[in-house]
Amino acid sequence: YEKRLSAAELKWVTGQAVLNITVRLHAMIFSLGCNVPVVPVNYEPKVPNVFEDFAAPEYLVDIDERMTSRLVEATRLALRNLGPYTEQIRQRRAHVAALAGTTFDLIGQLVGHRAAEFGAAARGAPLPPSRTGSVCQIENRYHPTGTRHGARRA
C-alpha cells in the first residue's frame, strides 16, 4: 500500500489499537492523544521528556543491551494493566492540555492573538473556521471520512 496518510489519518489508525509500541515521537504522541496505552522506545531525549508528563516510566524502553527483554517486559506489563494505564493517560492528558494552553497563551502575549486561539483549542475550544484542518483540529478524533471512531476511547 503506497498512499501516504495525512496526520489525521495516522492518528485515527493509531487510535484503533489496544496498545502501541512506538519508535517515533509523533507515533507516541498520537497514541497518547487517543488514550491508547503505549510502550515507547527511547531513541532520543525528547521521547522521555514528553512521556514523563504521563507519569508511566515503567513502560519506557531504553535502547541498550537490555532492550529486547525490556520491550517484552514493558509490553506484557502494559497489556496486564490496560484499564488502569488507559485511565492514567486520560487523566494526565487534561494536565498536559492545560500546560499546552498556557504555553500558547504566553506565546500569544508575545506575538499576538492568533497563538491564544491555539491555547484555547488545546483546552478543547473549537478553532475559528480559518484554522480548520490544522494540527490542533486533529484532536477531534474524527475519521478522515467524517465519521466518529470508537466511542470506547472518549
Side-chain angles (χ1 to χ4, degrees):
Y1 188 69
E2 296 292 323
K3 180 184 181 264
R4 293 185 62 101
L5 300 176
S6 70
E9 291 168 325
L10 286 170
K11 188 169 181 186
W12 182 84
V13 168
T14 301
Q16 302 309 298
V18 172
L19 172 72
N20 286 308
I21 298 170
T22 62
V23 185
R24 304 300 300 173
L25 177 68
H26 288 91
M28 179 187 78
I29 291 169
F30 284 178
S31 189
L32 294 167
C34 291
N35 296 319
V36 174
V38 62
V39 174
V41 174
N42 178 10
Y43 70 96
E44 274 192 32
K46 61 187 175 180
V47 173
N49 289 343
V50 171
F51 193 60
E52 78 178 320
D53 285 327
F54 290 88
E58 64 273 27
Y59 303 111
L60 183 67
V61 176
D62 291 323
I63 295 178
D64 59 20
E65 64 282 343
R66 293 191 55 234
M67 181 181 162
T68 302
S69 63
R70 274 288 300 132
L71 190 58
V72 170
E73 178 185 309
T75 302
R76 286 180 176 159
L77 180 63
L79 288 170
R80 277 195 309 269
N81 297 318
L82 277 178
Y85 187 15
T86 301
E87 184 56 31
Q88 180 176 343
I89 291 167
R90 187 182 325 277
Q91 291 174 5
R92 296 298 298 173
R93 274 188 59 215
H95 171 72
V96 171
L99 291 175
T102 300
T103 299
F104 282 114
D105 290 344
L106 293 170
I107 292 169
Q109 291 173 18
L110 293 172
V111 298
H113 70 282
R114 288 193 166 185
E117 293 172 1
F118 290 103
R123 291 184 196 88
L127 284 171
S130 64
R131 301 281 187 248
T132 301
S134 73
V135 174
C136 291
Q137 287 296 97
I138 293 170
E139 196 55 37
N140 287 333
R141 295 188 42 223
Y142 283 89
H143 182 278
T145 63
T147 58
R148 186 159 174 82
H149 77 75
R152 64 187 177 91
R153 296 205 211 308

